[in-house]
Amino acid sequence: MRNLKPLIYFILIGTIYSCAKISAPLGGPVDEDPPKLLEANPTDQSLNIKPEELVLTFDEYVQLDNPSKGIIITPRINKEEVIFSANKNKITVALNQELEENTTYVFDFQKSVVDVSEKNPAENLKLVFSTTDYIDSLSISGRVDYIFPPNKMDYKNVLVGIYPLNDTTDVFTANPYYLSQVDTSGNFSISNIKNGLYRAYAWKDDNGNLKAEFKNEEYDFLVDTLHIENNISAIQFNLSKADLTPIRILRTSNFGRNFDLILNKNAVQPTINQESLGEEYFFIESDKRIRIYPNTAKEDSIAFPIQLQDSTGFKVDTLIYAKFPETDRKPEKLTITANSGKNFFGKLDVELKFNKPVLAINTDSLFVKYDSASLFKINPTDFYFTDSTKRDLLKISLTIPDSISKEIFTLIAADSTFKDIEDQFNESVLEANYRKLKRESLADGISGRIEGASPPFILQVLDTKNQIIREEYLDSQDFEIKLIEPGTFQLRVIEDRNGNRRWDPSNILEKRLAERVFFFKGEDGKDQIIIRSGWTLEDQVIVASPPTGINTGKKPVDN
């Protein structure tokens, strides 16, 4: 019996341990029911209260999922002072601040409260109360779209917010006074708003700080003030990026005998007003840099009046003194990039891009070959530089007769065909192939009309890789694209309001909206258009997308 006592002791200890151990039940149905709110203190729609904390009680154990970002509190409070906590089946929100007088507060928990077992979020969990004897009931609603839609539409982290007109902050400097998360379809709604004047914004809050970052996040804004005295619906926002950093010259320096201007961002069509530009001096643009090349070294400093402008309209007008000294630095090699691989019909258009200004071309070694013994000689009348002050983009245009049945045409530039401003020649042979299409393989064309917008327009045909394969500039609402290669395309239209033949982003400081961009959509709602050999698509209608603003309901008032 004495020997059995230790055995009995260990059996008892094991039994007690196994009874005390908590483990998840095995088998059984998965819990798919969301937590249900049993009680809230204060209760929803309470009046004349200034609670120090909110306590929500549920029918099961719950926890919080990223509450600092997921719980939307309007109007704005100091969220850094708020403490969110979960204990068993209770959620507590300690406010730790004095609430405003005569204000309706909304705590929208969205999907931040989840059950412990399966992380099912509580549904439609919202708590509204007021510090006065009424609940503000005004609302705004609408839709958010992208000017340049991503390949996979994503409204995650897209927010809409409004700021009182007398608030000195904005979407770039502080959280909004009222805030809403856009749903998965691009729609938004903000409720329980106090009567007043507001400024409205939408933005993609990628970093989760509840503010817009104009350098790397898409955003949009209403130009006019929102006078909210009734419910306002059909507000439209169109998101795009617009870097509001003013363009400036960071530094200047010599590179060999050349002179560099280093910029903080790329300029749009920079202007250099120097009387000898295009004769003694040339310049090249690259990524955030402008390089001025002299044809010979110069002993004295040379004045260059320079005007720079960025895509948002900011300008720099300055005078730079540049030096072009003798140098032992070895010049960069001359490189050439061709638009090889293009298909053509009737006219062969070749583009050659150089890394430096090219001053001389030996046409004896420049030709197009289409079989072992046949070629087209390229004459000076067949090519031109698009800008004589840069001489870095050469365009060659040749008419190829239909009688030539060959399919592949090869542009050949022998070594030493091109000589740049630093007396460097191309060291290797350039060969670029182009494919001639047969007339019977082409579609006759696409024609139609653009509705809901005013010309001029930039009409672009995009392939399935989102590359521009054809571009037309239109001075009317009618369009026609002739002899197009069969395939699946998108038709994209830019409403070129200022007529500068490019898309311009917004400038919130100047209250200028981005230019609208819209696509052809078929009867099925898809933005693809299919055309086959011999087809003619007529009477195609491209309807402009809604502009930013209020499309129906009460009109906004001017500031």
Side-chain angles (χ1 to χ4, degrees):
M1 292 293 295
R2 183 179 300 175
N3 294 333
L4 290 176
K5 287 183 178 180
L7 178 59
I8 295 172
Y9 174 78
F10 284 114
I11 291 175
L12 288 173
I13 293 297
T15 303
I16 294 171
Y17 177 78
S18 63
C19 292
K21 184 178 179 181
I22 299 175
S23 60
L26 299 176
V30 176
D31 178 14
E32 297 181 352
D33 295 327
K36 293 181 180 179
L37 181 65
L38 299 179
E39 181 183 0
N41 185 19
T43 59
D44 188 40
Q45 307 294 314
S46 294
L47 303 176
N48 297 308
I49 61 168
K50 283 188 176 182
E52 295 182 356
E53 67 176 16
L54 314 179
V55 180
L56 285 73
T57 304
F58 295 86
D59 65 342
E60 59 180 313
Y61 282 14
V62 291
Q63 62 187 34
L64 289 163
D65 182 12
N66 195 12
S68 61
K69 182 178 179 180
I71 300 175
I72 294 179
I73 306 173
T74 58
R76 179 176 61 204
I77 67 174
N78 186 357
K79 209 169 182 180
E80 293 182 356
E81 299 295 328
V82 179
I83 297 176
F84 303 94
S85 60
N87 183 21
K88 298 182 179 180
N89 66 330
K90 294 183 184 292
I91 297 292
T92 302
V93 182
L95 301 178
N96 297 317
Q97 58 198 286
E98 185 74 16
L99 300 180
E100 295 181 20
E101 300 284 348
N102 305 316
T103 300
T104 297
Y105 284 92
V106 179
F107 286 71
D108 188 346
F109 291 83
Q110 300 194 96
K111 297 182 179 180
S112 292
V113 177
V114 300
D115 62 34
V116 172
S117 58
E118 298 295 336
K119 305 297 187 295
N120 297 309
E123 297 177 349
N124 303 316
L125 185 57
K126 183 183 294 187
L127 183 61
V128 181
F129 63 86
S130 176
T131 60
T132 187
D133 57 2
Y134 60 87
I135 298 287
D136 291 319
S137 60
L138 296 175
S139 67
I140 63 172
S141 61
R143 178 171 179 80
V144 179
D145 287 311
Y146 289 88
I147 286 186
F148 296 99
N151 292 331
K152 184 178 181 181
M153 192 61 71
D154 178 17
Y155 290 105
K156 184 180 180 181
N157 300 325
V158 176
L159 305 176
V160 174
I162 60 175
Y163 296 70
L165 188 60
N166 59 3
D167 193 336
T168 58
T169 64
D170 60 23
V171 71
F172 304 116
T173 58
N175 301 348
Y177 198 69
Y178 292 99
L179 178 68
S180 172
Q181 170 75 52
V182 174
D183 68 19
T184 56
S185 298
N187 301 309
F188 73 90
S189 177
I190 304 178
S191 60
N192 301 103
I193 303 173
K194 184 185 300 185
N195 183 317
L197 300 176
Y198 297 89
R199 290 170 286 117
Y201 307 85
W203 68 102
K204 195 170 193 307
D205 187 30
D206 286 325
N207 61 6
N209 66 355
L210 302 183
K211 296 183 289 185
E213 305 290 340
F214 56 71
K215 286 188 176 182
N216 49 31
E217 292 178 345
E218 294 100 332
Y219 63 92
D220 195 19
F221 57 93
L222 297 191
V223 171
D224 298 308
T225 300
L226 275 180
H227 187 180
I228 303 179
E229 56 183 1
N230 296 297
N231 295 339
I232 301 176
S233 60
I235 298 175
Q236 177 71 39
F237 290 102
N238 298 296
L239 303 180
S240 63
K241 291 183 180 180
D243 185 355
L244 294 174
T245 307
I247 190 170
R248 65 182 187 275
I249 300 173
L250 298 178
R251 65 182 186 276
T252 60
S253 62
N254 282 102
F255 185 85
R257 74 181 184 190
N258 310 312
F259 189 80
D260 283 354
L261 287 77
I262 309 301
L263 313 178
N264 67 321
K265 60 195 302 189
N266 289 322
V268 177
Q269 295 180 342
T271 302
I272 300 178
N273 296 316
Q274 219 286 341
E275 59 182 9
S276 297
L277 193 70
E279 297 177 359
E280 294 186 37
Y281 306 98
F282 302 87
F283 75 98
I284 295 292
E285 298 173 70
S286 57
D287 186 28
K288 301 179 185 178
R289 184 190 70 189
I290 296 174
R291 176 167 293 170
I292 303 175
Y293 292 83
N295 56 7
T296 59
K298 312 290 182 183
E299 294 183 0
D300 300 325
S301 295
I302 309 297
F304 287 85
I306 294 176
Q307 290 84 42
L308 304 175
Q309 179 176 320
D310 62 24
S311 60
T312 55
F314 293 113
K315 298 178 181 178
V316 169
D317 192 341
T318 188
L319 182 66
I320 295 291
Y321 284 89
K323 293 184 177 181
F324 305 97
E326 294 284 357
T327 180
D328 294 330
R329 183 177 188 137
K330 187 177 180 180
E332 289 182 310
K333 292 183 178 180
L334 177 63
T335 61
I336 313 169
T337 304
N339 63 336
S340 182
K342 297 291 184 180
N343 299 335
F344 72 94
F345 174 75
K347 184 186 291 185
L348 171 58
D349 291 320
V350 176
E351 290 187 3
L352 301 181
K353 178 70 175 177
F354 303 90
N355 66 324
K356 292 188 287 182
V358 169
L359 298 190
I361 301 174
N362 179 12
T363 55
D364 291 338
S365 57
L366 182 63
F367 54 90
V368 170
K369 185 177 180 180
Y370 56 93
D371 65 28
S372 59
S374 303
L375 55 85
F376 287 106
K377 191 176 185 315
I378 298 178
N379 299 307
T381 55
D382 297 323
F383 60 78
Y384 65 95
F385 285 99
T386 58
D387 190 333
S388 61
T389 64
K390 298 178 181 178
R391 295 180 69 90
D392 65 334
L393 181 58
L394 183 71
K395 292 197 173 184
I396 304 170
S397 184
L398 295 173
T399 300
I400 306 299
D402 290 340
S403 57
I404 298 177
S405 60
K406 297 297 182 180
E407 182 179 358
I408 302 300
F409 290 73
T410 303
L411 172 80
I412 298 178
D415 61 282
S416 302
T417 297
F418 302 104
K419 178 183 176 182
D420 68 29
I421 193 170
E422 296 181 303
D423 296 327
Q424 301 295 301
F425 293 90
N426 60 299
E427 296 181 353
S428 58
V429 176
L430 171 70
E431 292 190 6
N433 293 323
Y434 303 86
R435 185 165 68 95
K436 181 175 178 287
L437 301 174
K438 296 180 180 180
R439 173 62 184 87
E440 58 269 23
S441 69
L442 300 177
D444 292 339
I446 308 171
S447 63
R449 182 173 176 80
I450 299 167
E451 296 182 354
S454 300
F457 301 115
I458 303 170
L459 174 62
Q460 298 172 331
V461 182
L462 309 180
D463 63 17
T464 54
K465 296 180 180 179
N466 213 35
Q467 300 296 313
I468 299 173
I469 62 169
R470 185 84 70 87
E471 184 172 285
E472 305 282 346
Y473 197 75
L474 307 176
D475 291 316
S476 73
Q477 291 177 298
D478 298 319
F479 69 89
E480 183 176 18
I481 305 166
K482 295 182 179 180
L483 299 179
I484 186 170
E485 193 173 354
T488 301
F489 306 102
Q490 286 182 308
L491 299 182
R492 183 170 69 189
V493 177
I494 298 172
E495 186 182 28
D496 189 24
R497 292 197 305 262
N498 59 7
N500 64 359
R501 296 177 179 259
R502 65 173 183 267
W503 176 77
D504 291 302
S506 64
N507 187 321
I508 194 171
L509 302 179
E510 298 178 358
K511 293 189 174 182
R512 186 181 70 246
L513 295 174
E515 291 179 326
R516 272 193 295 174
V517 178
F518 41 91
F519 296 79
F520 167 84
K521 290 187 181 296
E523 295 180 356
D524 58 359
K526 296 182 179 179
D527 58 7
Q528 292 183 331
I529 189 167
I530 300 174
I531 190 166
R532 305 189 187 283
S533 301
W535 282 20
T536 300
L537 297 181
E538 298 177 333
D539 301 323
Q540 303 300 301
V541 178
I542 304 176
V543 179
S545 58
T548 293
I550 303 174
N551 294 316
T552 61
K554 186 175 180 61
K555 294 183 179 180
V557 298
D558 294 331
N559 291 336

